[in-house]
Amino acid sequence: MKYSKATNYALHTMLHLVASSPDKPVGVQRLAEAQGVSPTYLSKILTKLVKAGLIESASGANGGYRLLRRSVDINFLDIIHAIEGTASLFDCSLDHPSTCLIQQVMVEAEEKMEQHLRDKKLSDLVEQMNRYKASATSS
C-alpha cells in the first residue's frame, strides 16, 4: 500500500502549522518553501484540508492558513482521510458468498492500521521534536 505524495505534503504541512504557531496564519508561499513544492500544488492540498475542517484560510495582508482544531484533536487518520478519502484499501473483486475470508483478513488489518493512525496526534510529534531539540542543545 502506498499513500500519495499529496498525503505526504499534507502531513508535513499540518505538522509545520502545529509546530510554528497554531493560532497565527502561515502563508502558502512559506509552507511551500518549507517543503520544496510549488505553492499552486500545495494550494490544492490545503483546499482539501480546509474542506475537511482541519484548517481555515484567512485572507488579507497577514493571511494564510491556521489550525481550526486544537493540535491534540488532530490525528494522522484525519489528515489521510482528507486527502485520500475513506474508501477501503482492499475490495474483493471475486463473486463470492458475502463472507470472503480474504476480505475479512484485509479489513481487520486495515482497522488495526487506522486505529494506530487515529491514536497518533500531531501534538505528540511536536512534543517529540521539542524533546529532541532540548537534548541536542544540552549535549
Side-chain angles (χ1 to χ4, degrees), residues 26-138:
V26 179
V28 66
Q29 187 68 38
R30 185 170 152 209
L31 292 168
E33 286 171 2
Q35 297 182 66
V37 65
S38 86
T40 304
Y41 178 62
L42 190 59
S43 291
K44 293 174 184 174
I45 294 166
L46 291 165
T47 298
K48 289 183 177 186
L49 296 172
V50 168
K51 285 182 182 177
L54 297 171
I55 61 174
E56 65 181 349
S57 173
S59 56
N62 295 320
Y65 294 88
R66 67 176 164 238
L67 297 178
L68 199 54
R69 297 193 224 164
R70 298 176 319 145
S71 62
V72 296
D73 296 328
I74 301 172
N75 62 54
F76 274 59
L77 190 61
D78 293 333
I79 299 164
I80 292 167
H81 280 170
I83 305 302
E84 302 285 344
T86 59
S88 181
L89 297 174
F90 182 84
D91 187 25
C92 185
S93 58
L94 300 179
D95 189 17
H96 290 293
S98 62
T99 56
C100 174
L101 297 176
I102 293 172
Q103 177 77 19
Q104 289 174 10
V105 170
M106 299 305 285
V107 166
E108 182 182 332
E110 189 173 342
E111 286 170 355
K112 287 180 181 183
M113 179 185 69
E114 285 190 354
Q115 186 57 53
H116 179 75
L117 293 169
R118 194 176 291 115
D119 291 342
K120 295 297 177 188
K121 311 285 185 194
L122 288 178
S123 58
D124 298 337
L125 291 185
V126 172
E127 287 176 23
Q128 213 173 345
M129 287 170 32
N130 291 338
R131 281 194 305 271
Y132 176 76
K133 287 178 187 175
S135 69
T137 56
S138 66

Side-chain angles (χ1 to χ4, degrees), residues 9-22:
Y9 291 127
L11 289 165
H12 282 88
T13 297
M14 292 295 290
L15 182 60
H16 185 91
L17 290 174
V18 169
S20 59
S21 54

